[in-house]
Amino acid sequence: MHTRSAQLRLEDAVAVGWPWVHRLAVSHGVRALLIKGVALERHGLRAPHVSNDIDVLIEPARFDVFVAAIEHAGWHERASTLAGSVFTTHSRTFVHRDWPCDLDVHRFFPGFLAEPETVFDELWRRHEAIEVAHQSCPVPDRASSILILALHSLRGISALPRHATELAHLTATTRLSDDEAVDLAVLARATGSDETLRGVLHDLGVRLGPPTPPSPELLQWRARVSSGGTAGYFWLTHLRRTRGRDRLRLIAHGIWPSRAELLLHRPEIADAALPRLRARVARWRRGLRTFPSAARALWRHRSAASYTRSTRSARSSEAMNSAT
C-alpha cells in the first residue's frame, strides 16, 4: 500500500482494499470473510452505495495473527474514547495514512449467539467467491448475508435512519423459495440467530419452531435492541457489571471526561473553555434523554431473566420431587 490517499478516491480504496485484505489473510494462513458492502449488493439485498470502510470477519483463533499482519502493513488502531473501547468488543477499527477508508476487523458479529468459532465455521463452510477489482474474494453466501444484514440493521436501527430503511428494504423485496426458507431457518438455528431475528425471519416467510426459553445473552440482545442501543444503555450495562472503585471511576468519567477525550469524541468543537463546557452540557442532556428508555429496557429484560430462572428452578424441583 504505497498510494497516497489524496490520489485514491474512497470508492476505489474500498474496491482494491477487498482483494488486498484477502491476499494478506491468505499469506498468513488466516480465514477471512469480507462482509457487508459489495457482498450485500451482489446478492441483491441492498441498494448500491459507497462504503466508508472495509468489514472483514476473521476466524476467532487467528484474530490476533491478522491484527499483527495489518499493523505490520502500516495500519494502526483508530483513536477511541474510553467508552468506545469499553463498549465495542466485537471489532477493532484501523486506519492507514495512505488510505481514505477504515478497516473494521471483526472478532465476532453481534446477534449470532452461538460460539464465535461455531458461527465462523458455519459461515465459512457456505461461503462464495465474488470478483472485486478483477480478483476473487470470499464472501458469505446469500442466506448468511441476509442474517448479517438483518442483525446489523436491528443493532443500529434507532441510531441511523439508514438501518431502518435497509431492514425495510430487505423484508419487502427479498423473495425466498421454499427450499431457501428452510435453509435459512437451519442456518439461523446453527448460528444462534433464530431467536434474535425471529421477527425478521417471520416477515421473510421463514418458519421456525416454538420459541425457546430466553438465555441471558438473548435477553441482553433484546434489551439492546429495544433501548435503541443508545449511550445510556451501554453506560447502565457496564455500571451494573462494575463494582467499588471501578464503578466510581466509570461514573466520574461519564460525567466529566478528560479534555482530550471530549475533543476526540467531538472534534468539531473549538478547544476553548466555553465551547468545551457547552459540549459537556449537551452531553449531559443527551444522556438524560436516553437513560429512562435504557433503564426500562434493562429492567424489563432483567425481570424476564429472573422469571426464566425461577421457572427453571421450579421445574427442576418438580422433576426431583416426582422422581422421589
Side-chain angles (χ1 to χ4, degrees), residues 21-259:
V21 167
H22 170 54
R23 290 197 304 271
L24 182 71
V26 170
S27 69
H28 286 79
V30 176
R31 292 180 297 164
L33 281 172
L34 290 145
I35 61 175
K36 300 192 294 185
V38 68
L40 297 176
E41 297 168 14
R42 298 288 178 88
H43 288 311
L45 302 176
R46 188 173 75 180
H49 77 269
V50 178
S51 299
N52 293 316
D53 51 25
I54 298 168
D55 288 277
V56 58
L57 179 64
I58 303 297
E59 57 175 312
R62 304 284 286 171
F63 182 84
D64 292 336
V65 172
F66 184 78
V67 166
I70 61 174
E71 289 178 333
H72 182 72
W75 293 80
H76 63 273
E77 194 159 7
R78 179 178 287 284
S80 176
T81 63
L82 174 65
S85 62
V86 170
F87 299 159
T88 306
T89 59
H90 69 281
S91 67
R92 295 171 62 183
T93 300
F94 294 83
V95 294
H96 193 292
R97 67 184 184 89
D98 292 339
W99 286 70
C101 59
D102 289 2
L103 177 55
D104 284 346
V105 185
H106 294 253
R107 186 188 304 271
F108 62 91
F109 203 86
F112 288 123
L113 301 187
E115 289 298 319
E117 294 82 1
T118 300
V119 173
F120 185 89
D121 286 343
E122 186 64 26
L123 300 184
W124 182 261
R125 183 182 66 81
R126 307 165 58 101
H127 85 271
E128 301 174 353
I130 64 172
E131 189 173 283
V132 181
H134 307 292
Q135 298 193 49
S136 179
C137 296
V139 301
D141 70 351
R142 186 168 186 262
S144 304
S145 293
I146 288 172
L147 299 182
I148 288 171
L149 175 57
L151 290 172
H152 180 64
S153 298
L154 275 180
R155 191 161 52 91
I157 200 166
S158 297
L160 291 174
R162 177 170 63 84
H163 291 303
T165 301
E166 289 180 350
L167 186 59
H169 179 270
L170 175 71
T171 55
T173 63
T174 302
R175 298 291 179 264
L176 301 173
S177 67
D178 290 343
D179 288 344
E180 288 173 331
V182 170
D183 180 58
L184 191 56
V186 171
L187 177 60
R189 283 194 295 271
T191 56
S193 56
D194 51 339
E195 293 298 336
T196 56
L197 289 177
R198 178 170 284 272
V200 175
L201 292 172
H202 177 270
D203 292 342
L204 291 171
V206 176
R207 295 181 180 178
L208 299 173
T212 58
S215 65
E217 293 78 15
L218 177 58
L219 292 170
Q220 183 179 352
W221 167 264
R222 288 175 176 172
R224 176 175 182 167
V225 172
S226 64
S227 71
T230 60
Y233 163 80
F234 289 109
W235 281 105
L236 287 176
T237 298
H238 284 275
L239 282 172
R240 287 173 55 193
R241 295 175 180 171
T242 56
R243 296 290 184 272
R245 292 182 179 179
D246 288 339
R247 174 177 285 185
L248 292 176
R249 280 194 291 266
L250 190 61
I251 292 173
H253 183 85
I255 295 173
W256 198 268
S258 68
R259 167 180 162 274

